[in-house]
Amino acid sequence: MQTKRSTIDRLHPEAQLINEGAEWLKAGELVAFPTETVYGLGANALDASACAKIFEAKGRPQDNPLIVHVCNRVMANNLVESWTSEAELCVQHFWPGPLTLILPKTALVPDIVTAGLVNVAIRMPSHPVALRLIEEAGFPIAAPSANLSGKPSPTRGSHVWRDMKGKIPLILDAGACEVGLESTVLDVSGGVPTILRPGGITKEQLEEVLGEVRADTPSENQAPKAPGMKYRHYAPQGELLLVSGLRDRVVQRMGQEILRGQARLKKVGVLCTLESASLLHNWFPDLLFVLGSKDRPQEVASNIFEGLRLCDERRMDLILVEGIEEAGLGSAVMNRLEKAAGKRTQHI
Ligand code: TXA
Ligand code: MG
């Protein structure tokens, strides 16, 4: 299949391009589009065979359900059987935005979308292109992140192009996504609201509105409630080592790892904070990518997937990543990095 990649204006999306995207969706095809978090790979959420194409294009396991994107409350009401008071509060405070709500589904939602679960994941994105596309299509859009399964999520049109060219007819490219990390997935179906995946809206922000909020931390032999969280994710091709702790020690350790790696003829890439960059530069890594200031986790969040993908493009064998403080958006950043690193995490 030939893939067209069209540049679209973020704030004032060209009507003709929105129309083209909506037509492909109505025809049961897939369209990649920007959201404020990451790019989504969209299909008509009410069309089971269109949604099946998402799993095929991504190589996604069938038991991993999809988030359904809506552009207004009426559309959301048609998909959700009943709203809890916590869900209502979330809608008021955080929609449109990077918060996905887990609620009981109606019969309108095909089983393939929820992977057979009784609850549906639903969110109203704030990106003007996403909102216009859903509006023009006239139906909700099911969309996972538009990467190949297991790879870092796409935060630039170029990332989608790399993973999806030849597989889908259209990519709407509006440049970099603002948030750069996926939405927070919050179970508000009953009981204490529970974060199934940390993301763009922080636990602290949710607590301010909802009071008590839990984080789903499944033990070794217990499955996470968001099925997607059990898979190895966000992983670049190269081996990844995540190092966090006191800065001087982190820099020292990363420096040693650069030398050790290069002695074994490995290309070593470094993703680090602005504050550590000049120190690490002196160890001559093959690639040095600055994620942003340690005091501005938002900056780090918006650059992390770009950094991981760049390491693949430049064929780094070993990727050393400096961890950041696990507070606010930093928690979501560290969640993604820990998943990308698998067990190779050092706290020193
Ligand atoms: O920011 C985002 O959420 C992006 C953009 C495109 O909206 N989408 C995204 O989708 O990250 P995806 O498929 O990559 O991740 C969705 C996560 C997975 O961990 C999945 O298991 C979980 O949400 N999820 C989806 N439906 C669910 C459900 N019914 N119950 C529990 N977890 C669900
Ligand atoms: Mg994903």
Side-chain angles (χ1 to χ4, degrees):
M1 178 183 293
Q2 195 150 18
T3 303
K4 183 173 156 193
R5 177 174 162 198
S6 299
T7 304
I8 188 164
D9 193 85
R10 201 186 82 80
L11 288 179
H12 306 285
E14 293 81 352
Q16 177 256 327
L17 289 173
I18 292 291
N19 210 26
E20 195 178 331
E23 287 305 317
W24 281 118
L25 291 168
K26 286 179 197 167
E29 293 297 336
L30 306 184
V31 173
F33 63 97
T35 81
E36 71 280 22
T37 57
V38 301
Y39 277 76
L41 182 62
N44 178 353
L46 307 181
D47 176 347
S49 54
C51 291
K53 293 182 184 171
I54 291 178
F55 291 87
E56 200 181 316
K58 278 183 64 98
R60 184 179 178 101
Q62 293 285 341
D63 66 350
N64 194 2
L66 307 173
I67 296 176
V68 181
H69 299 70
V70 298
C71 63
N72 59 47
R73 185 59 198 268
V74 176
M75 209 180 246
N77 286 348
N78 289 333
L79 306 172
V80 172
E81 196 59 57
S82 57
W83 297 77
T84 56
S85 56
E86 290 82 5
E88 293 289 356
L89 280 171
C90 285
V91 169
Q92 276 169 35
H93 285 86
F94 302 111
W95 275 12
L99 180 65
T100 296
L101 303 175
I102 304 289
L103 288 161
K105 82 176 192 80
T106 61
L108 209 58
V109 182
D111 284 337
I112 188 170
V113 170
T114 60
L117 298 173
V118 295
N119 291 333
V120 62
I122 181 166
R123 108 172 170 95
M124 192 189 295
S126 65
H127 198 295
V129 173
L131 287 172
R132 281 290 299 120
L133 185 65
I134 304 165
E135 204 171 41
E136 186 65 30
F139 45 71
I141 298 181
S145 49
N147 52 286
L148 289 173
S149 209
K151 291 285 150 205
S153 295
T155 53
R156 314 273 193 276
S158 56
H159 301 166
V160 182
W161 174 252
R162 193 161 252 269
D163 282 13
M164 290 297 152
K165 70 168 177 289
K167 298 185 165 199
I168 61 174
L170 181 65
I171 299 170
L172 295 176
D173 183 348
C177 301
E178 289 166 81
V179 181
L181 283 182
E182 302 89 338
S183 63
T184 301
V185 178
L186 184 70
D187 187 340
V188 278
S189 61
V192 180
T194 304
I195 296 174
L196 307 187
R197 176 180 71 180
I201 298 289
T202 65
K203 184 160 187 270
E204 293 84 342
Q205 282 174 292
L206 292 170
E207 280 165 345
E208 229 169 84
V209 170
L210 301 173
E212 189 188 358
V213 173
R214 282 202 194 122
D216 183 43
T217 41
S219 56
E220 281 283 304
N221 43 19
Q222 188 192 12
K225 291 203 194 89
M229 299 306 279
K230 71 173 178 278
Y231 295 106
R232 178 137 191 259
H233 255 206
Y234 316 111
Q237 237 118 47
E239 182 188 349
L240 193 149
L241 177 64
L242 173 62
V243 189
S244 51
L246 290 175
R247 194 161 99 242
D248 288 350
R249 286 202 218 161
V250 169
V251 168
Q252 191 68 23
R253 171 61 58 85
M254 285 172 84
Q256 286 163 358
E257 293 289 344
I258 293 169
L259 291 184
R260 202 177 301 165
Q262 288 175 336
R264 286 183 292 150
L265 300 180
K266 288 182 186 272
K267 283 177 83 173
V268 184
V270 165
L271 310 185
C272 66
T273 62
L274 184 65
E275 290 77 11
S276 305
S278 56
L279 296 169
L280 282 162
H281 184 76
N282 296 332
W283 296 84
F284 301 106
D286 296 277
L287 170 71
L288 183 82
F289 181 88
V290 179
L291 292 167
S293 168
K294 68 173 177 50
D295 299 323
R296 291 191 293 275
Q298 167 54 60
E299 215 169 83
V300 177
S302 69
N303 285 319
I304 192 70
F305 290 138
E306 164 76 355
L308 291 173
R309 281 181 171 261
L310 195 65
C311 286
D312 270 357
E313 254 167 60
R314 305 269 178 91
R315 301 188 185 285
M316 296 297 129
D317 305 297
L318 175 63
I319 303 162
L320 306 173
V321 189
E322 178 183 1
I324 61 169
E325 196 196 336
E326 289 198 43
L329 256 191
S331 310
V333 171
M334 290 301 281
N335 167 274
R336 304 305 188 271
L337 287 174
E338 278 159 15
K339 290 221 174 303
K343 297 226 176 323
R344 296 221 59 199
T345 303
Q346 295 187 1
H347 191 89
I348 51 178

